[in-house]
PDB file of all heavy atoms in Angstrom:
ATOM      1  N   GLY Z 152     -30.357  15.113 -11.966  1.00 84.00           N
ATOM      2  CA  GLY Z 152     -29.915  15.719 -10.710  1.00 84.00           C
ATOM      3  C   GLY Z 152     -29.752  14.683  -9.601  1.00 84.00           C
ATOM      4  O   GLY Z 152     -28.823  14.742  -8.807  1.00 84.00           O
ATOM      5  N   ARG Z 156     -26.413  13.472  -7.537  1.00 90.00           N
ATOM      6  CA  ARG Z 156     -26.320  13.430  -6.076  1.00 90.00           C
ATOM      7  C   ARG Z 156     -25.811  12.067  -5.586  1.00 90.00           C
ATOM      8  O   ARG Z 156     -25.052  11.991  -4.627  1.00 90.00           O
ATOM      9  CB  ARG Z 156     -27.668  13.789  -5.448  1.00 90.00           C
ATOM     10  CG  ARG Z 156     -27.905  15.297  -5.543  1.00 90.00           C
ATOM     11  CD  ARG Z 156     -29.144  15.715  -4.817  1.00 90.00           C
ATOM     12  NE  ARG Z 156     -30.328  15.587  -5.652  1.00 90.00           N
ATOM     13  CZ  ARG Z 156     -31.569  15.536  -5.186  1.00 90.00           C
ATOM     14  NH1 ARG Z 156     -31.784  15.576  -3.882  1.00 90.00           N
ATOM     15  NH2 ARG Z 156     -32.588  15.436  -6.005  1.00 90.00           N
ATOM     16  N   ILE Z 159     -22.178  12.109  -6.084  1.00 90.00           N
ATOM     17  CA  ILE Z 159     -21.489  12.902  -5.063  1.00 90.00           C
ATOM     18  C   ILE Z 159     -21.393  12.119  -3.753  1.00 90.00           C
ATOM     19  O   ILE Z 159     -20.337  12.082  -3.114  1.00 90.00           O
ATOM     20  CB  ILE Z 159     -22.187  14.268  -4.898  1.00 90.00           C
ATOM     21  CG1 ILE Z 159     -21.817  15.132  -6.121  1.00 90.00           C
ATOM     22  CG2 ILE Z 159     -21.784  14.957  -3.606  1.00 90.00           C
ATOM     23  CD1 ILE Z 159     -22.629  16.373  -6.290  1.00 90.00           C
ATOM     24  N   PRO Z 175     -19.897  19.799 -11.235  1.00 88.00           N
ATOM     25  CA  PRO Z 175     -20.829  19.010 -10.413  1.00 88.00           C
ATOM     26  C   PRO Z 175     -22.261  19.534 -10.443  1.00 88.00           C
ATOM     27  O   PRO Z 175     -23.178  18.812 -10.091  1.00 88.00           O
ATOM     28  CB  PRO Z 175     -20.238  19.122  -9.002  1.00 88.00           C
ATOM     29  CG  PRO Z 175     -19.446  20.378  -9.015  1.00 88.00           C
ATOM     30  CD  PRO Z 175     -18.905  20.502 -10.410  1.00 88.00           C
ATOM     31  N   THR Z 176     -22.456  20.768 -10.849  1.00 84.00           N
ATOM     32  CA  THR Z 176     -23.818  21.308 -10.857  1.00 84.00           C
ATOM     33  C   THR Z 176     -24.359  21.478 -12.274  1.00 84.00           C
ATOM     34  O   THR Z 176     -25.448  22.016 -12.462  1.00 84.00           O
ATOM     35  CB  THR Z 176     -23.875  22.678 -10.143  1.00 84.00           C
ATOM     36  OG1 THR Z 176     -22.961  23.554 -10.801  1.00 84.00           O
ATOM     37  CG2 THR Z 176     -23.489  22.566  -8.692  1.00 84.00           C
ATOM     38  N   GLY Z 177     -23.611  20.991 -13.261  1.00 80.00           N
ATOM     39  CA  GLY Z 177     -23.991  21.176 -14.653  1.00 80.00           C
ATOM     40  C   GLY Z 177     -25.381  20.664 -14.992  1.00 80.00           C
ATOM     41  O   GLY Z 177     -26.041  21.196 -15.864  1.00 80.00           O
ATOM     42  N   ASN Z 178     -25.809  19.617 -14.281  1.00 75.00           N
ATOM     43  CA  ASN Z 178     -27.101  19.004 -14.597  1.00 75.00           C
ATOM     44  C   ASN Z 178     -28.169  19.257 -13.545  1.00 75.00           C
ATOM     45  O   ASN Z 178     -29.178  18.570 -13.521  1.00 75.00           O
ATOM     46  CB  ASN Z 178     -26.916  17.493 -14.752  1.00 75.00           C
ATOM     47  CG  ASN Z 178     -26.061  17.172 -15.955  1.00 75.00           C
ATOM     48  OD1 ASN Z 178     -26.501  17.318 -17.079  1.00 75.00           O
ATOM     49  ND2 ASN Z 178     -24.827  16.790 -15.715  1.00 75.00           N
ATOM     50  N   LEU Z 179     -27.930  20.206 -12.680  1.00 79.00           N
ATOM     51  CA  LEU Z 179     -28.869  20.414 -11.576  1.00 79.00           C
ATOM     52  C   LEU Z 179     -29.581  21.759 -11.706  1.00 79.00           C
ATOM     53  O   LEU Z 179     -29.024  22.705 -12.246  1.00 79.00           O
ATOM     54  CB  LEU Z 179     -28.113  20.383 -10.239  1.00 79.00           C
ATOM     55  CG  LEU Z 179     -27.242  19.149  -9.980  1.00 79.00           C
ATOM     56  CD1 LEU Z 179     -26.581  19.256  -8.630  1.00 79.00           C
ATOM     57  CD2 LEU Z 179     -28.073  17.879 -10.054  1.00 79.00           C
ATOM     58  N   ASP Z 180     -30.802  21.826 -11.191  1.00 83.00           N
ATOM     59  CA  ASP Z 180     -31.475  23.126 -11.145  1.00 83.00           C
ATOM     60  C   ASP Z 180     -30.784  23.969 -10.071  1.00 83.00           C
ATOM     61  O   ASP Z 180     -29.998  23.466  -9.262  1.00 83.00           O
ATOM     62  CB  ASP Z 180     -32.964  22.958 -10.858  1.00 83.00           C
ATOM     63  CG  ASP Z 180     -33.212  22.334  -9.507  1.00 83.00           C
ATOM     64  OD1 ASP Z 180     -33.085  23.033  -8.492  1.00 83.00           O
ATOM     65  OD2 ASP Z 180     -33.499  21.125  -9.465  1.00 83.00           O
ATOM     66  N   GLU Z 181     -31.107  25.244 -10.049  1.00 85.00           N
ATOM     67  CA  GLU Z 181     -30.369  26.191  -9.209  1.00 85.00           C
ATOM     68  C   GLU Z 181     -30.398  25.812  -7.720  1.00 85.00           C
ATOM     69  O   GLU Z 181     -29.372  25.830  -7.049  1.00 85.00           O
ATOM     70  CB  GLU Z 181     -30.974  27.581  -9.402  1.00 85.00           C
ATOM     71  CG  GLU Z 181     -29.997  28.681  -9.043  1.00 85.00           C
ATOM     72  CD  GLU Z 181     -30.611  30.048  -9.313  1.00 85.00           C
ATOM     73  OE1 GLU Z 181     -31.368  30.161 -10.290  1.00 85.00           O
ATOM     74  OE2 GLU Z 181     -30.340  30.951  -8.529  1.00 85.00           O
ATOM     75  N   LYS Z 182     -31.592  25.422  -7.252  1.00 84.00           N
ATOM     76  CA  LYS Z 182     -31.745  25.141  -5.825  1.00 84.00           C
ATOM     77  C   LYS Z 182     -30.972  23.868  -5.434  1.00 84.00           C
ATOM     78  O   LYS Z 182     -30.239  23.854  -4.447  1.00 84.00           O
ATOM     79  CB  LYS Z 182     -33.237  24.988  -5.509  1.00 84.00           C
ATOM     80  CG  LYS Z 182     -33.553  24.890  -4.058  1.00 84.00           C
ATOM     81  CD  LYS Z 182     -35.031  25.224  -3.793  1.00 84.00           C
ATOM     82  CE  LYS Z 182     -35.455  24.743  -2.430  1.00 84.00           C
ATOM     83  NZ  LYS Z 182     -35.821  23.306  -2.418  1.00 84.00           N
ATOM     84  N   THR Z 183     -31.137  22.808  -6.224  1.00 80.00           N
ATOM     85  CA  THR Z 183     -30.433  21.558  -5.931  1.00 80.00           C
ATOM     86  C   THR Z 183     -28.925  21.780  -6.046  1.00 80.00           C
ATOM     87  O   THR Z 183     -28.146  21.316  -5.225  1.00 80.00           O
ATOM     88  CB  THR Z 183     -30.860  20.440  -6.911  1.00 80.00           C
ATOM     89  OG1 THR Z 183     -32.275  20.437  -7.005  1.00 80.00           O
ATOM     90  CG2 THR Z 183     -30.375  19.094  -6.473  1.00 80.00           C
ATOM     91  N   GLY Z 184     -28.543  22.514  -7.100  1.00 84.00           N
ATOM     92  CA  GLY Z 184     -27.123  22.816  -7.313  1.00 84.00           C
ATOM     93  C   GLY Z 184     -26.534  23.516  -6.109  1.00 84.00           C
ATOM     94  O   GLY Z 184     -25.441  23.171  -5.653  1.00 84.00           O
ATOM     95  N   GLU Z 185     -27.278  24.460  -5.577  1.00 85.00           N
ATOM     96  CA  GLU Z 185     -26.777  25.216  -4.443  1.00 85.00           C
ATOM     97  C   GLU Z 185     -26.600  24.333  -3.215  1.00 85.00           C
ATOM     98  O   GLU Z 185     -25.602  24.434  -2.502  1.00 85.00           O
ATOM     99  CB  GLU Z 185     -27.746  26.357  -4.137  1.00 85.00           C
ATOM    100  CG  GLU Z 185     -27.090  27.485  -3.386  1.00 85.00           C
ATOM    101  CD  GLU Z 185     -28.074  28.609  -3.146  1.00 85.00           C
ATOM    102  OE1 GLU Z 185     -28.762  29.001  -4.117  1.00 85.00           O
ATOM    103  OE2 GLU Z 185     -28.161  29.057  -1.996  1.00 85.00           O
ATOM    104  N   SER Z 186     -27.551  23.426  -2.990  1.00 81.00           N
ATOM    105  CA  SER Z 186     -27.412  22.575  -1.807  1.00 81.00           C
ATOM    106  C   SER Z 186     -26.239  21.600  -1.973  1.00 81.00           C
ATOM    107  O   SER Z 186     -25.535  21.295  -1.007  1.00 81.00           O
ATOM    108  CB  SER Z 186     -28.724  21.856  -1.479  1.00 81.00           C
ATOM    109  OG  SER Z 186     -28.959  20.846  -2.415  1.00 81.00           O
ATOM    110  N   ILE Z 187     -26.020  21.137  -3.205  1.00 80.00           N
ATOM    111  CA  ILE Z 187     -24.882  20.241  -3.459  1.00 80.00           C
ATOM    112  C   ILE Z 187     -23.560  20.985  -3.239  1.00 80.00           C
ATOM    113  O   ILE Z 187     -22.623  20.468  -2.633  1.00 80.00           O
ATOM    114  CB  ILE Z 187     -24.961  19.701  -4.914  1.00 80.00           C
ATOM    115  CG1 ILE Z 187     -26.121  18.704  -5.050  1.00 80.00           C
ATOM    116  CG2 ILE Z 187     -23.644  19.101  -5.372  1.00 80.00           C
ATOM    117  CD1 ILE Z 187     -25.991  17.468  -4.217  1.00 80.00           C
ATOM    118  N   ILE Z 188     -23.516  22.206  -3.727  1.00 87.00           N
ATOM    119  CA  ILE Z 188     -22.309  23.009  -3.569  1.00 87.00           C
ATOM    120  C   ILE Z 188     -22.037  23.312  -2.101  1.00 87.00           C
ATOM    121  O   ILE Z 188     -20.907  23.208  -1.617  1.00 87.00           O
ATOM    122  CB  ILE Z 188     -22.444  24.322  -4.382  1.00 87.00           C
ATOM    123  CG1 ILE Z 188     -22.372  24.000  -5.869  1.00 87.00           C
ATOM    124  CG2 ILE Z 188     -21.397  25.338  -3.991  1.00 87.00           C
ATOM    125  CD1 ILE Z 188     -21.124  23.256  -6.287  1.00 87.00           C
ATOM    126  N   ASN Z 189     -23.103  23.649  -1.367  1.00 88.00           N
ATOM    127  CA  ASN Z 189     -22.925  23.888   0.060  1.00 88.00           C
ATOM    128  C   ASN Z 189     -22.345  22.661   0.745  1.00 88.00           C
ATOM    129  O   ASN Z 189     -21.480  22.770   1.607  1.00 88.00           O
ATOM    130  CB  ASN Z 189     -24.258  24.284   0.710  1.00 88.00           C
ATOM    131  CG  ASN Z 189     -24.677  25.682   0.285  1.00 88.00           C
ATOM    132  OD1 ASN Z 189     -23.838  26.485  -0.150  1.00 88.00           O
ATOM    133  ND2 ASN Z 189     -25.952  25.988   0.389  1.00 88.00           N
ATOM    134  N   LEU Z 190     -22.829  21.500   0.305  1.00 81.00           N
ATOM    135  CA  LEU Z 190     -22.334  20.242   0.856  1.00 81.00           C
ATOM    136  C   LEU Z 190     -20.841  20.055   0.546  1.00 81.00           C
ATOM    137  O   LEU Z 190     -20.050  19.683   1.412  1.00 81.00           O
ATOM    138  CB  LEU Z 190     -23.162  19.096   0.250  1.00 81.00           C
ATOM    139  CG  LEU Z 190     -22.949  17.704   0.783  1.00 81.00           C
ATOM    140  CD1 LEU Z 190     -23.275  17.641   2.266  1.00 81.00           C
ATOM    141  CD2 LEU Z 190     -23.857  16.732   0.027  1.00 81.00           C
ATOM    142  N   LEU Z 191     -20.456  20.333  -0.690  1.00 84.00           N
ATOM    143  CA  LEU Z 191     -19.033  20.205  -1.067  1.00 84.00           C
ATOM    144  C   LEU Z 191     -18.163  21.110  -0.191  1.00 84.00           C
ATOM    145  O   LEU Z 191     -17.113  20.691   0.298  1.00 84.00           O
ATOM    146  CB  LEU Z 191     -18.815  20.587  -2.542  1.00 84.00           C
ATOM    147  CG  LEU Z 191     -19.327  19.643  -3.623  1.00 84.00           C
ATOM    148  CD1 LEU Z 191     -19.083  20.229  -5.000  1.00 84.00           C
ATOM    149  CD2 LEU Z 191     -18.646  18.282  -3.524  1.00 84.00           C
ATOM    150  N   ASP Z 208     -19.452  28.095 -13.929  1.00 86.00           N
ATOM    151  CA  ASP Z 208     -20.218  29.035 -13.127  1.00 86.00           C
ATOM    152  C   ASP Z 208     -19.269  29.934 -12.327  1.00 86.00           C
ATOM    153  O   ASP Z 208     -18.664  29.509 -11.355  1.00 86.00           O
ATOM    154  CB  ASP Z 208     -21.122  28.201 -12.203  1.00 86.00           C
ATOM    155  CG  ASP Z 208     -21.998  29.062 -11.312  1.00 86.00           C
ATOM    156  OD1 ASP Z 208     -21.781  30.287 -11.255  1.00 86.00           O
ATOM    157  OD2 ASP Z 208     -22.889  28.492 -10.670  1.00 86.00           O
ATOM    158  N   LEU Z 211     -19.912  30.308  -8.596  1.00 88.00           N
ATOM    159  CA  LEU Z 211     -19.431  29.144  -7.849  1.00 88.00           C
ATOM    160  C   LEU Z 211     -17.904  29.194  -7.738  1.00 88.00           C
ATOM    161  O   LEU Z 211     -17.339  28.987  -6.662  1.00 88.00           O
ATOM    162  CB  LEU Z 211     -19.889  27.864  -8.555  1.00 88.00           C
ATOM    163  CG  LEU Z 211     -19.239  26.565  -8.122  1.00 88.00           C
ATOM    164  CD1 LEU Z 211     -19.413  26.348  -6.630  1.00 88.00           C
ATOM    165  CD2 LEU Z 211     -19.866  25.392  -8.886  1.00 88.00           C
ATOM    166  N   ARG Z 214     -16.473  31.182  -4.958  1.00 93.00           N
ATOM    167  CA  ARG Z 214     -16.561  30.681  -3.580  1.00 93.00           C
ATOM    168  C   ARG Z 214     -15.306  29.899  -3.196  1.00 93.00           C
ATOM    169  O   ARG Z 214     -15.099  29.593  -2.025  1.00 93.00           O
ATOM    170  CB  ARG Z 214     -17.794  29.789  -3.422  1.00 93.00           C
ATOM    171  CG  ARG Z 214     -19.081  30.591  -3.451  1.00 93.00           C
ATOM    172  CD  ARG Z 214     -20.280  29.730  -3.184  1.00 93.00           C
ATOM    173  NE  ARG Z 214     -20.226  29.106  -1.858  1.00 93.00           N
ATOM    174  CZ  ARG Z 214     -21.167  28.297  -1.383  1.00 93.00           C
ATOM    175  NH1 ARG Z 214     -22.211  28.013  -2.128  1.00 93.00           N
ATOM    176  NH2 ARG Z 214     -21.065  27.774  -0.189  1.00 93.00           N
TER     177      ARG Z 214
END
Side-chain angles (χ1 to χ4, degrees):
R156 284 186 274 161
I159 286 167
T176 58
N178 294 288
L179 306 181
D180 63 77
E181 203 177 325
K182 188 160 163 277
T183 313
E185 203 178 312
S186 73
I187 289 297
I188 289 304
N189 289 339
L190 187 61
L191 289 177
D208 181 350
L211 167 56
R214 288 185 61 180

